[in-house]
Amino acid sequence: MDFQLSENQRALQDAARKYARDVVRPKAPHYDETSDFPKDLISAAFELGLLNMAIPSEYNGVGLTHLEQVIVCEELAWGCAGVATSLIANDLANLPIILAGTDDQKKRLLAPFGEKLKLSCFCLTEPSAGSDVAAMGTTARREGDEYVLNGSKCFITNAGYADQFTVFATLDKGKKHKGITCFVVEGRPQGLTTGKHENKMGQRASNTTTVTFDEVRVPVKNRIGEEGEGFKIAMATLDNSRPLTASISIGIARAALEHSLEYSAQRQTMGKPIREHQAVQFMLAEMAMNTHAARLLTYESAQVLDEGQRNTLQSSYAKCFAADMAMKVATDAVQVFGGYGYMKEYPVEKLMRDAKLIQVYEGTSQVQRLVIAKELFR
């Protein structure tokens, strides 16, 4: 057990921090206000090797370990959680191919991401089947050498700008989770449409839309895994992505803590900086303690994957604890700032809005507790 980062890991951390500080943070307020898509920031990340972190190097990816990915992701989220979500959406969408694709599929469907800037999206959530994946309504039927997809997905990150879609659909609703199969839709074929960009509370720099499939044809060669293996692939994907989501929470919390430390040294009441009041000191101590605890849980959940082990329990610990922690830390940061914390010209109200989404997407905090309980009952 070693709690020290290697020289290479520190170099990655420094590169990501410099990008977050110099490129992302100056523009984050603009993208939060306008909800425009930060294509320039994503292009810069691609040039720096901060996009497609999970794709193995033999398929033109960056090829970082899971631990290295969460180290980088914390820095990205420290800069802006919405931008970080946009960047790691490619990893989420490509994970099913990385985990269950054939060598041919990886060469065809992953390698192009290293050649030029290209976005992908993960199409799992539906209007009536969010946490209850087995209730999926999007269907697939086989016709010769093709499958035909029909249905809709909602809250899909990067969908408005993606040209590759990893889609989960059922071949037989009666089979519930055993009928779900994974497909990759390349480009924007006839019948595939995306809706308007959602007007979100937070993480407004990330593009979020619906995706509709109306008789969309997918070649059999783009089926990932066998028929009926989609649910298993989706769950394995989420095990791999939860450490990244947890690290977004840590980046938000760290930013909130740093802003609070700086402000509490400047703001004075009763003739002294507010950080000299014990009530504020206790808040700052709790913020720092819980941020660090979440980081250690997240590092462990990533390291378990790097050791080739199943991390369902550890990743649920990390995602659930970190998400709830970030919301509490961001809320406390607003409290430290007082009335100014509620104003958009100060940075912490954005962090509070951004943090809330982590408690909802990729499995709510309540669903994570169900997963944890199920693992304990094993």
Side-chain angles (χ1 to χ4, degrees):
M1 189 178 297
D2 184 359
F3 291 98
Q4 300 301 314
L5 300 185
S6 69
E7 185 176 339
N8 183 58
Q9 289 166 344
R10 289 195 178 279
L12 280 169
Q13 187 181 57
D14 289 344
R17 186 170 296 175
K18 186 175 188 300
Y19 164 77
R21 183 187 66 238
D22 299 342
V23 181
V24 176
R25 273 207 168 176
K27 294 187 175 183
H30 165 76
Y31 287 115
D32 178 63
E33 182 69 26
T34 64
S35 196
D36 291 340
F37 188 62
K39 189 71 176 290
D40 57 333
L41 304 185
I42 294 173
S43 296
F46 175 76
E47 295 298 327
L48 291 169
L50 299 175
L51 194 65
N52 308 315
M53 295 185 291
I55 297 178
S57 56
E58 57 264 37
Y59 300 108
N60 287 345
V62 182
L64 300 186
T65 67
H66 292 92
L67 180 57
E68 290 166 348
Q69 290 174 47
V70 300
I71 290 168
V72 169
C73 192
E74 177 185 333
E75 302 304 324
L76 301 179
W78 175 87
C80 175
V83 172
T85 293
S86 298
L87 292 173
I88 69 168
N90 263 21
D91 291 315
L92 175 63
N94 289 326
L95 271 170
I97 309 168
I98 295 169
L99 295 172
T102 64
D103 182 62
D104 172 70
Q105 288 172 332
K106 292 174 182 178
K107 288 176 179 176
R108 287 191 298 105
L109 303 174
L110 294 180
F113 284 88
E115 297 167 0
K116 64 176 182 179
L117 178 59
K118 181 175 178 176
L119 298 178
S120 185
C121 60
F122 183 76
C123 301
L124 180 65
T125 301
E126 297 184 2
S128 298
S131 299
D132 185 8
V133 176
M136 182 176 296
T138 299
T139 61
R141 71 176 189 272
R142 183 159 181 172
E143 292 186 355
D145 291 334
E146 294 179 316
Y147 289 93
V148 183
L149 306 183
N150 284 282
S152 64
K153 304 290 183 177
C154 64
F155 309 141
I156 307 303
T157 301
N158 286 355
Y161 296 86
D163 51 15
Q164 186 162 298
F165 301 76
T166 303
V167 185
F168 294 83
T170 181
L171 292 164
D172 185 345
K173 292 182 182 180
K175 291 184 178 180
K176 296 187 177 179
H177 68 280
K178 293 182 179 179
I180 297 172
T181 304
C182 180
F183 306 92
V184 173
V185 179
E186 297 180 82
R188 288 180 174 258
Q190 184 176 354
L192 189 155
T193 57
T194 55
K196 67 177 180 61
H197 172 50
E198 302 288 356
N199 188 14
K200 305 192 299 293
M201 176 195 297
Q203 298 203 21
R204 291 169 55 80
S206 65
N207 174 258
T208 308
T209 78
T210 59
V211 183
T212 301
F213 304 92
D214 182 7
E215 296 288 297
V216 173
R217 294 187 171 272
V218 186
V220 171
K221 67 179 182 179
N222 279 17
R223 183 192 69 216
I224 306 300
E226 299 299 323
E227 291 185 353
E229 291 186 347
F231 182 81
K232 180 178 69 175
I233 292 170
M235 295 305 102
T237 296
L238 294 175
D239 282 350
N240 277 254
S241 68
R242 280 191 205 108
L244 289 172
T245 310
S247 66
I248 293 179
S249 302
I250 299 162
I252 294 171
R254 195 182 98 215
L257 171 62
E258 291 175 1
H259 287 307
S260 297
L261 287 169
E262 182 179 3
Y263 183 79
S264 66
Q266 299 169 354
R267 173 76 164 134
Q268 294 202 359
T269 62
M270 303 172 194
K272 59 183 177 181
I274 62 172
R275 73 175 182 179
E276 294 184 19
H277 296 293
Q278 190 180 67
V280 175
Q281 290 177 358
F282 280 11
M283 292 175 69
L284 295 171
E286 289 277 348
M287 294 161 76
M289 178 173 61
N290 286 313
T291 301
H292 189 61
R295 183 181 294 111
L296 293 178
L297 275 174
T298 302
Y299 280 11
E300 182 198 19
S301 70
Q303 185 64 31
V304 169
L305 279 177
D306 285 333
E307 292 170 355
Q309 301 179 40
R310 180 171 170 271
N311 78 334
T312 304
L313 180 61
Q314 293 89 344
S315 66
S316 292
Y317 281 159
K319 200 274 186 183
C320 187
F321 182 85
D324 291 350
M325 175 279 303
M327 190 67 223
K328 178 68 164 59
V329 169
T331 302
D332 284 348
V334 172
Q335 195 72 15
V336 169
F337 274 68
Y340 293 109
Y342 204 67
M343 305 300 161
K344 284 186 176 291
E345 61 191 280
Y346 288 82
V348 290
E349 65 85 30
K350 173 185 181 294
L351 297 174
M352 184 176 173
R353 290 185 285 108
D354 287 349
K356 184 60 199 173
L357 184 56
I358 312 292
Q359 291 181 303
V360 175
Y361 72 6
E362 287 196 41
T364 66
S365 291
Q366 289 71 32
V367 166
Q368 298 307 323
R369 286 169 167 83
L370 290 174
V371 173
I372 290 167
K374 184 178 179 181
E375 288 297 307
L376 295 177
F377 296 160
R378 284 176 177 269

